[in-house]
């Protein structure tokens, strides 16, 4: 399935799942509010952030109650300032409140991912090095977080185990060598991207000779990365991985490698502090 088709399907299924786990057979607290009560609400952020999750919230409220109207004042990828209202809502008060937590849970997590990506990409904005995510995503949110990374200015590594080869230490040990593993992979699917993870210069040379498209330099020092760039001479894309954080990122980017993968973009995110408040109600 094409990535965009898969993402659209993920938005539909995740919205349904979020509602099912929170609302269950019905929102009993919302029954305190008369069915005829109409409300207006605003959603704001308490801290600076990069917005992400618009389509998920649209789908969530569409499923919950089509009478709810959402007016987005900002779009995915936009920067938000503390206390900024970015969404205005109007509809049955019961429905506004029933969907609140599911919507905010998704928004706060995806916006946190996008914010994390933007924070790191800004550090190497002038280097030309691409910042990549990994498969270290929150369970059930793979495509959503991968999308959020792009909203923050980053790039996606492989989506899963099906769209690219990544030959790592245990694959190499099982196949007998890098050369054998690459040969086997090419025989399985020649048209898919093929990456090899290496830990030494000897492994780097073997991966280059075997014809790997991309080579991941696992926990190489910046000095060794520079040497790897010289050895490869552009024969493969070089990716740095391991021990990457805000304090090491610039030094790594300065080595001349092509891209840097960071698991922190998706696995260590801290939810953005968001709030929804009812600003007006009336009987209809």
């Amino acid at each position: 399935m094409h990535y965009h088709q898969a993402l659209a399907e993920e938005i539909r299924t995740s919205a349904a799942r979020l509602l099912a786990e929170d609302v269950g057979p019905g929102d009993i607290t919302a029954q305190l509010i008369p069915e005829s009560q109409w409300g207006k609400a605003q959603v704001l952020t308490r801290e600076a952030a990069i917005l992400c999750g618009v389509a998920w919230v649209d789908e969530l409220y569409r499923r919950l109650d089509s009478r709810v109207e959402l007016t987005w004042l900002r779009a995915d990828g936009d920067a938000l300032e503390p206390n900024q209202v970015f969404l205005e809502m109007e509809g049955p008060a019961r429905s506004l409140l029933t969907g609140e937590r599911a919507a905010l849970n998704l928004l706060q997590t995806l916006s946190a991912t996008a914010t994390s990506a933007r924070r790191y990409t800004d550090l190497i904005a002038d280097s030309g090095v691409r910042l990549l995510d990994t498969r270290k995503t929150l369970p059930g949110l793979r495509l959503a977080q991968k999308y959020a990374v792009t909203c923050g200015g980053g790039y996606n590594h492989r989506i899963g185990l099906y769209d690219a080869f990544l030959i790592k230490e245990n694959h190499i040990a099982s196949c007998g060598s890098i050369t054998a593993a690459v040969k086997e992979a090419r025989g399985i699917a020649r048209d898919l991207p093929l990456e090899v993870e290496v830990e030494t210069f000897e492994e780097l040379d073997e991966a280059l000779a075997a014809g790997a498209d991309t080579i991941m330099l696992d926990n190489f020092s910046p000095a060794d990365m520079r040497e790897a760039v010289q050895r490869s001479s552009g024969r493969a894309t070089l990716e740095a991985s391991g021990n990457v954080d805000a304090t090491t990122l610039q030094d790594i980017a300065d080595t001349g490698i092509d891209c840097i993968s960071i698991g922190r973009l998706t696995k260590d995110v801290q939810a953005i502090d968001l709030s929804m408040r009812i600003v007006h109600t009336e009987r209809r």
Side-chain angles (χ1 to χ4, degrees):
M1 182 182 293
H2 191 274
Y3 169 75
H4 294 293
Q5 292 176 315
L7 183 61
E9 178 60 28
E10 169 61 21
I11 290 170
R12 289 190 290 269
T13 57
S14 62
R17 186 172 63 249
L18 286 168
L19 287 174
E21 72 179 7
D22 201 30
V23 181
D27 180 355
I28 58 174
T29 310
Q31 295 176 29
L32 302 174
I33 304 169
E35 287 188 50
S36 61
Q37 195 84 359
W38 201 260
K40 293 183 179 180
Q42 295 177 334
V43 180
L44 68 155
T45 177
R46 301 295 187 185
E47 57 185 308
I50 302 300
L51 178 61
C52 184
V54 168
W56 280 264
V57 177
D58 283 344
E59 176 66 15
L60 189 149
Y61 273 101
R62 185 193 69 79
R63 287 176 173 271
L64 180 63
D65 190 335
S66 61
R67 293 172 295 173
V68 173
E69 295 183 4
L70 306 180
T71 302
W72 293 94
L73 307 180
R74 292 294 184 271
D76 282 349
D78 285 351
L80 304 176
E81 298 298 325
N83 300 313
Q84 180 176 358
V85 174
F86 60 89
L87 171 61
E88 294 178 344
M89 313 170 68
E90 182 174 352
R94 282 188 177 186
S95 297
L96 293 179
L97 295 174
T98 295
E100 174 186 4
R101 179 42 52 199
L104 293 187
N105 281 352
L106 206 291
L107 279 175
Q108 69 187 18
T109 301
L110 297 191
S111 294
T113 304
T115 302
S116 174
R118 182 66 58 85
R119 185 179 302 120
Y120 280 105
T121 56
D122 282 350
L123 292 174
I124 57 171
D126 298 327
S127 68
V129 175
R130 288 178 296 143
L131 192 72
L132 303 177
D133 55 25
T134 70
R135 287 168 45 244
K136 296 175 182 178
T137 51
L138 301 179
L141 289 178
R142 171 67 54 80
L143 286 181
Q145 282 197 291
K146 290 272 188 180
Y147 168 75
V149 166
T150 67
C151 288
Y155 294 83
N156 294 151
H157 203 281
R158 60 177 179 164
I159 302 300
L161 296 172
Y162 52 87
D163 59 327
F165 291 100
L166 177 48
I167 299 171
K168 306 186 78 171
E169 178 184 12
N170 288 330
H171 301 105
I172 296 168
S174 298
C175 292
S177 68
I178 289 173
T179 302
V182 170
K183 181 179 180 180
E184 184 69 19
R186 293 301 190 196
I188 294 170
R190 181 169 294 277
D191 58 331
L192 288 181
L194 191 154
E195 181 171 2
V196 177
E197 180 184 66
V198 302
E199 299 178 349
T200 66
F201 287 124
E202 290 74 20
E203 290 181 344
L204 170 65
D205 291 339
E206 185 179 357
L208 288 169
D213 300 315
T214 301
I215 298 175
M216 179 187 295
L217 308 176
D218 183 39
N219 290 303
F220 275 46
S221 69
D224 286 345
M225 289 181 197
R226 290 188 179 90
E227 173 65 21
V229 170
Q230 293 298 317
R231 287 191 182 219
S232 67
S233 300
R235 286 180 286 165
T237 297
L238 294 185
E239 173 189 335
S241 180
N243 293 322
V244 182
D245 58 28
T247 65
T248 61
L249 186 62
Q250 187 63 63
D251 287 342
I252 294 172
D254 289 342
T255 63
I257 51 92
D258 301 293
C259 48
I260 303 171
S261 57
I262 306 181
R264 296 172 187 268
L265 295 183
T266 51
K267 72 182 182 70
D268 291 343
V269 295
Q270 181 173 341
I272 300 298
D273 187 3
L274 305 178
S275 178
M276 188 182 93
R277 59 191 181 193
I278 299 290
V279 295
H280 175 78
T281 60
E282 63 183 43
R283 291 290 184 89
R284 286 196 175 181

